[in-house]
Amino acid sequence: MKKKVLQSLTVGSAIIFMLAGCGGNKTETKESTKKETKTEASSTDVATGASAQAYTDPKDLQDKYDIVIIGAGGAGMSAAIQAKDAGKNPVILEKMPVAGGNTLKSSSGMNASETKFQKESGISDSNDKFYEETLKGGHDKNDKELLRYYVDNSASAIDWLDSMGIRLNNLTITGGMSEKRTHRPEDGSAVGEYLVHGLLKNVTELNIPIFVNADVTEIKEKDGKISGVKVDMKETKEKKEISSQAVVVATGGYGANPEMIKAEKPELDGYVTTNQEGSTGDGIKMIEKLGGQVVDMNQIQIHPTVQQDTGILIGEAVRGEGGILVSEDGTRFINELDTRDKVSAAINQLKGKAAYLVFDSGVRERVKAIDFYDKQGFVKKGETVADLAKEIGVKEDALDKTVTDWNQAVADKKDAQFERKTGMDKPLDKGPYYAIKIAPGIHYTMGGVKINAKTEVLTKDNKAIPGLYAAGEVTGGLHGTNRIGGNSVGDIIVFGRQAGDQSAQYIK
Ligand code: ADP
């Protein structure tokens, strides 16, 4: 498909409203190419995560589609676009009042190797290196078939997005990676809202019906094949059965389901979550009822840098662009860009189980998301390092020495203290200086339903369930026991596309 996004909608600001937890005005779509009648995004939508997109009117819901796609995050929307491009008639059913899921909240970017944007920036990367580093980050527990497919199809996924006007040409690095392969929007802003906005715009332009407040409660099977779903339309209070030859489950993870988290990993009981409230593991439960296999269910990622009052994640790009972590004593305590599990564990060892993310104006200019964190009131400021130390209540001389030593390590290209090797391109020497207080929070569920590289859902004896596909955070295996930052956006696009293609091919 060659399609350009024509103009920017006002989604970004709507999403900012959501993240900020404050209300906003009623928004409506500027252009609508859908045949179906549209409902406007309500003011609540804006307040809870909306886009300016109008969704399909619930009364236009049909009894039959070729493919039902459950969930309107990145995986679901990618699958829908690909299935539609293959000439099929998909529908997207989303239980929340708005599209986007956790994808909307993703910050760092999308990992991919051997891309045209890396080449343009003079970065020589390889799929094999990306494979090896992801495997190392996942402690060698990754599903190797999925991982191979993922890295080998990452560059074409970047091109596919670009062909739809979703351009991720600004490169940064995340923990556990040795190359700049995390692709962000040109201005360095958080990837999630830009991506969701772009996908939703393409879904609309392709006339793909997308229903919100549409909670899928069951996946139906007949004669050993998938035959459709049951959906609870929350606005009209109608319960409906929809028939389809194939179903793509793209319902995301279970990071917002405290019972499931506690059952799988009791020690995480009480942790804040960065997840949106729709991430309750529904897809996993529905697939298990059909005899589907689940893997790695107790592999739950805690992200090291989460603002604790709001559950808002402070993106890894802040460290990738040069930020450091300091304890209450004003000293560094870890290679800040070690993998998420190790950095989280180190923070949990500190007094107060929290740390400060410290950076300068240079980092702030390079990471646009910091403006958003500032609007939330998270960012403390000092004209000098000593002023900042006073502001956050750590010893001035200690923080001063930490920043001086760090800048020396950057100049020497050698961090003798913690062996950090990345995110050291520039020193922290441009005032004013800033700090955000963070601690770990539940972020991502690595486990989920077992699929093969065709995204077919497998039974306990590894047989594909005919007509059932899954992609994105609902699946398990790709990330092993620790997901690398930037690999979930890659996952949802690569496997979302594959689920759309494969389900379309499956249909006679
Ligand atoms: P991914 O990153 O894998 O695309 P997201 O979290 O971004 O996952 O998106 C998953 C979407 O699926 C969310 O918007 C979520 O609200 C939606 N969802 C979850 N369960 C259901 C369900 N039972 N019916 C419809 N939509 C669902």
Side-chain angles (χ1 to χ4, degrees):
M1 185 183 68
K2 288 274 171 238
K3 188 178 282 286
K4 290 277 171 215
V5 168
L6 302 171
Q7 62 180 116
S8 183
L9 298 180
T10 53
V11 179
S13 51
I15 291 161
I16 296 292
F17 277 130
M18 173 283 279
L19 291 169
C22 48
N25 295 327
K26 198 166 183 173
T27 25
E28 58 186 291
T29 190
K30 289 201 177 91
E31 54 185 320
S32 159
T33 52
K34 282 194 182 176
K35 291 188 193 79
E36 293 87 356
T37 337
K38 296 303 187 51
T39 52
E40 285 180 9
S42 69
S43 51
T44 345
D45 296 345
V46 176
T48 53
S51 66
Q53 173 69 37
Y55 301 103
T56 315
D57 192 308
K59 69 177 184 303
D60 289 327
L61 185 64
Q62 310 292 305
D63 297 331
K64 193 169 189 263
Y65 294 90
D66 290 339
I67 305 165
V68 170
I69 295 166
I70 317 174
M77 289 196 283
S78 298
I81 293 169
Q82 201 74 50
K84 182 78 179 187
D85 266 356
K88 302 301 174 197
N89 171 30
V91 63
I92 306 174
L93 302 176
E94 164 58 54
K95 75 172 174 181
M96 299 302 286
V98 292
N102 274 346
T103 305
L104 192 59
K105 296 181 134 200
S106 58
S107 56
S108 297
M110 167 168 163
N111 288 345
S113 48
E114 300 187 19
T115 69
K116 62 178 178 188
F117 297 130
Q118 284 182 312
K119 283 173 201 147
E120 278 169 14
S121 309
I123 296 162
S124 100
D125 196 4
S126 78
N127 293 349
D128 287 347
K129 205 166 172 187
F130 184 18
Y131 178 98
E132 289 306 330
E133 289 173 10
T134 300
L135 195 58
K136 186 167 175 235
H139 305 293
D140 213 15
K141 295 284 190 290
N142 314 56
D143 180 319
K144 297 187 178 61
E145 181 199 353
L146 295 182
L147 181 54
R148 191 73 247 175
Y149 184 87
Y150 169 59
V151 299
D152 288 348
N153 289 278
S154 62
S156 59
I158 290 282
D159 291 341
W160 180 72
L161 290 173
D162 193 27
S163 77
M164 297 191 292
I166 304 168
R167 198 169 173 79
L168 300 175
N169 59 345
N170 178 327
L171 289 155
T172 189
I173 197 160
T174 57
M177 300 268 104
S178 72
E179 297 290 350
K180 285 192 176 176
R181 60 170 73 101
T182 307
H183 294 65
R184 307 182 282 179
E186 184 139 35
D187 66 355
S189 58
V191 70
E193 64 187 66
Y194 176 72
L195 181 64
V196 166
H197 170 209
L199 290 172
L200 202 46
K201 190 168 196 315
N202 281 274
V203 162
T204 304
E205 287 177 358
L206 285 166
N207 295 325
I208 299 169
I210 175 167
F211 295 91
V212 290
N213 297 306
D215 188 2
V216 175
T217 53
E218 192 181 333
I219 301 168
K220 307 285 289 179
E221 204 180 20
K222 198 169 172 222
D223 304 329
K225 288 183 182 159
I226 292 307
S227 60
V229 298
K230 265 192 188 167
V231 60
D232 192 350
M233 299 298 286
K234 290 191 242 170
E235 263 171 292
T236 56
K237 308 215 178 343
E238 195 189 0
K239 291 192 199 318
K240 206 166 164 158
E241 281 200 18
I242 297 174
S243 72
S244 67
Q245 286 184 56
V247 169
V248 174
V249 183
T251 47
Y254 50 95
N257 184 331
E259 288 80 38
M260 268 176 99
I261 295 281
K262 192 174 167 190
E264 299 296 345
K265 210 163 180 184
E267 63 268 37
L268 294 184
D269 191 25
Y271 268 66
V272 297
T273 181
T274 65
N275 285 212
Q276 65 106 16
E277 61 181 280
S279 301
T280 46
D282 303 7
I284 296 171
K285 288 183 249 169
M286 290 188 281
I287 286 175
E288 276 194 295
K289 275 199 191 136
L290 295 169
Q293 186 184 158
V294 293
V295 291
D296 302 338
M297 286 294 287
N298 62 354
Q299 296 302 329
I300 297 163
Q301 179 165 71
I302 51 174
H303 192 289
T305 57
V306 179
Q307 205 280 337
Q308 295 293 296
D309 302 325
T310 57
I312 290 175
L313 182 145
I314 310 301
E316 212 149 306
V318 181
R319 285 170 283 147
E321 291 297 326
I324 57 172
L325 287 170
V326 301
S327 68
E328 292 178 4
D329 301 327
T331 52
R332 289 178 65 221
F333 53 92
I334 178 98
N335 162 9
E336 292 84 352
L337 283 165
D338 207 332
T339 48
R340 291 175 171 181
D341 52 351
K342 293 199 181 125
V343 180
S344 297
I347 296 169
N348 280 335
Q349 296 291 313
L350 299 173
K351 271 187 271 169
K353 300 185 182 209
Y356 285 100
L357 182 56
V358 172
F359 50 94
D360 72 342
S361 291
V363 173
R364 179 160 185 164
E365 281 156 23
R366 294 190 292 278
V367 185
K368 289 283 167 268
I370 296 171
D371 291 344
F372 167 70
Y373 307 143
D374 199 11
K375 282 197 191 109
Q376 310 315 304
F378 303 161
V379 183
K380 302 286 180 215
K381 177 176 166 187
E383 287 307 319
T384 63
V385 174
D387 289 344
L388 180 67
K390 254 186 266 161
E391 184 66 27
I392 60 177
V394 310
K395 285 203 185 94
E396 289 164 49
D397 49 349
L399 190 62
D400 233 354
K401 181 172 180 336
T402 298
V403 173
T404 306
D405 289 352
W406 170 248
N407 287 341
Q408 191 58 51
V410 170
D412 298 345
K413 297 199 176 342
K414 187 169 174 45
D415 171 25
Q417 236 184 332
F418 298 107
E419 307 266 304
R420 174 164 161 180
K421 292 195 169 61
T422 55
M424 315 178 56
D425 294 350
K426 298 203 168 73
L428 299 176
D429 62 357
K430 193 172 169 194
Y433 295 84
Y434 302 96
I436 302 176
K437 189 170 187 182
I438 53 81
I442 290 166
H443 182 48
Y444 187 86
T445 48
M446 267 106 34
V449 301
K450 187 166 167 68
I451 56 165
N452 58 22
K454 287 179 160 177
T455 66
E456 293 168 323
V457 174
L458 303 179
T459 60
K460 293 189 180 91
D461 45 7
N462 290 319
K463 294 212 170 66
I465 300 176
L468 190 58
Y469 299 83
E473 195 176 348
V474 67
T475 66
L478 175 67
H479 306 291
T481 57
N482 176 61
R483 181 177 67 80
I484 296 286
N487 270 355
S488 105
V489 176
D491 176 5
I492 61 182
I493 305 300
V494 169
F495 288 103
R497 292 185 71 197
Q498 172 73 323
D501 264 343
Q502 293 295 330
S503 58
Q505 277 179 42
Y506 168 80
I507 291 171
K508 315 288 173 301

